[in-house]
Amino acid sequence: MAAAAPGIDLKKGQEAMVTQYCTFRLDGFTFGIEVERVQEVIRYQDMSRVPLSSEVVRGLINLRGQIVTALDLRARLQLPPRPEGQWPMNVVVMTDDGPLSLLVDSIGEVVDVEADSFETPPETLDGVARDLIQGCHKLDGHLLLVLATDRAVSLPEPARS
């Protein structure tokens, strides 16, 4: 049997829109970012703190000579802090300003998801999650929350007095 080309569902005999997501866990939730946005996934790296920065900015990492900002995605999504002794993983994503690291609890797998399983966030979802979650896909036994990557890496302007 010949292998199917990406985006072709041989069972249905028609072309299906399929998106690949790099998945990761945060506070028990499963999130996904489109694979083409992810540069790489790396273990925890020592960071240099940045004075007077947003609480979301955990520091700077040296990624093979390139200085990369590391954002704590738990803080960005207003989730509880990571337990002591649990080291985050880095999901390095490409942005218009270059690579940026998102600190997550653990890395999942790359999943293929058909477009017809996508749903927008319910109207009852509010707060920062409403802005940073693009929607979700129903998977076997759980939901894949699709991160609005561009909005997640854009930090709100600090209030000026």
Side-chain angles (χ1 to χ4, degrees):
M1 179 176 188
I8 305 293
D9 186 342
L10 293 178
K11 290 182 214 165
K12 294 180 181 175
Q14 59 186 356
E15 187 168 331
M17 295 291 296
V18 175
T19 303
Q20 287 189 313
Y21 290 95
C22 170
T23 65
F24 54 90
R25 303 276 293 171
L26 273 174
D27 197 34
F29 299 100
T30 302
F31 286 87
I33 296 176
E34 297 90 353
V35 163
E36 58 269 9
R37 296 292 308 267
V38 177
Q39 175 180 309
E40 63 188 294
V41 174
I42 55 176
R43 293 177 188 260
Y44 174 79
Q45 304 287 306
D46 286 332
M47 287 179 239
S48 296
R49 295 184 60 192
V50 180
L52 304 176
S53 63
S54 163
E55 67 182 32
V56 173
V57 176
R58 285 295 179 241
L60 303 173
I61 61 174
N62 183 347
L63 185 61
R64 294 179 299 277
Q66 187 172 22
I67 304 303
V68 174
T69 302
L71 300 183
D72 186 338
L73 205 48
R74 272 183 176 250
R76 182 71 178 108
L77 288 164
Q78 300 178 348
L79 294 171
R82 188 169 289 103
E84 287 290 324
Q86 181 183 1
W87 298 104
M89 297 284 292
N90 293 275
V91 177
V92 180
V93 297
M94 293 304 301
T95 71
D96 291 339
D97 297 324
L100 187 138
S101 172
L102 299 174
L103 300 176
V104 303
D105 294 349
S106 62
I107 302 298
E109 55 191 20
V110 173
V111 297
D112 293 332
V113 181
E114 291 188 17
D116 62 2
S117 70
F118 182 81
E119 292 192 17
T120 57
E123 293 297 323
T124 54
L125 188 64
D126 59 5
V128 70
R130 178 100 183 134
D131 190 40
L132 300 182
I133 296 173
Q134 187 174 334
C136 63
H137 287 278
K138 294 173 270 188
L139 303 180
D140 290 335
H142 66 285
L143 295 177
L144 172 65
L145 303 173
V146 178
L147 187 70
T149 309
D150 289 329
R151 290 192 296 259
V153 301
S154 298
L155 300 180
E157 291 290 324
R160 297 184 188 253
S161 55

